[in-house]
């Protein structure tokens, strides 16, 4: 499933939306957080930071973004999954001050990492298939894990464009017709990951 957060209000003419793929608890890798920002005035330079407040110690990934007026900026923050749990907060800073109304807590939803977990499976497609046979096979193999499987499905144009953003996944399923419709950068990233 694709999870997303959008700020309920704007601050200083800015709005922010973030989304990420919720999968079964990965054993590590990087979680891609897709961010879209829009400003009603500009140009302006902002620092966007995602802090992992997970246990035992947090980490931060940030990026400096220049926004033009009324031109959305879209980018991905690749966050390392290097702690036992992941609970992220997105923050936006301008000239060193936090724009606190744009803060987004709850990214990653506190997933614990590792252990005897079912695989993280990702499907590129426009329709959701019947997962019952796959779920039964995985449940038989991972009996007693207590995990329900998540099935994130993204259309070809939303697939990550960097190989590192696939590293929290175990399996990526792509029908040939969808592979042909993927942007070149996404197709190359998938091939580099394999």
């Amino acid at each position: 499933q694709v999870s997303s957060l959008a700020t309920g209000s704007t601050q200083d003419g800015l709005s922010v939306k973030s989304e990420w793929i919720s999968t079964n608890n990965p054993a590590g890798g990087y979680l891609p957080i897709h961010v879209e920002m829009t400003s009603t005035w500009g140009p302006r330079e902002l620092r966007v930071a995602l802090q992992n407040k997970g246990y035992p110690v947090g980490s931060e990934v940030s990026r400096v973004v220049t926004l033009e007026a009324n031109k959305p900026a879209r980018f991905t923050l690749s966050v390392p999954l290097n702690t036992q749990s992941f609970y992220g907060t997105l923050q936006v800073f301008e000239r060193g001050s936090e724009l606190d109304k744009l803060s987004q807590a709850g990214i990653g939803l506190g997933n614990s990492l590792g252990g005897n977990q079912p695989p993280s499976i990702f499907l590129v497609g426009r329709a959701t298939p019947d997962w019952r046979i796959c779920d039964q096979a995985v449940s038989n193999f991972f009996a007693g894990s207590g995990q329900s499987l998540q099935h994130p499905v993204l259309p070809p144009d939303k697939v990550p464009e960097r190989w590192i953003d696939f590293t929290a996944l175990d399996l990526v399923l792509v029908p040939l017709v969808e592979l042909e419709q993927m942007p070149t950068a996404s197709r190359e990233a998938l091939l580099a990951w394999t």
Side-chain angles (χ1 to χ4, degrees), residues 3 11 14-15 20 30 39 70 83 92 95 97 101-102 150 166 178 186:
S3 300
Q11 183 173 353
L14 276 169
S15 63
W20 64 95
Y30 285 77
S39 176
N70 301 311
T83 58
V92 180
R95 294 186 296 276
S97 297
K101 290 181 184 174
L102 299 176
Q150 297 183 42
F166 289 98
E178 303 292 0
S186 296

Side-chain angles (χ1 to χ4, degrees), residues 6 9 17-18 20 27-28 43 50 53 74 80 85 89 104 114 127 132 138 149 153 158 160 173-174 176-177 182 193:
S9 62
K17 178 183 177 185
S18 60
W20 64 95
L50 194 128
K53 311 237 183 210
R74 295 175 185 90
S85 64
T89 300
Q104 299 176 357
R132 288 179 292 185
V138 170
L149 293 175
V153 179
K158 291 263 193 174
L173 306 173
V174 187
L176 184 57
V177 67
M182 283 173 62
W193 172 69

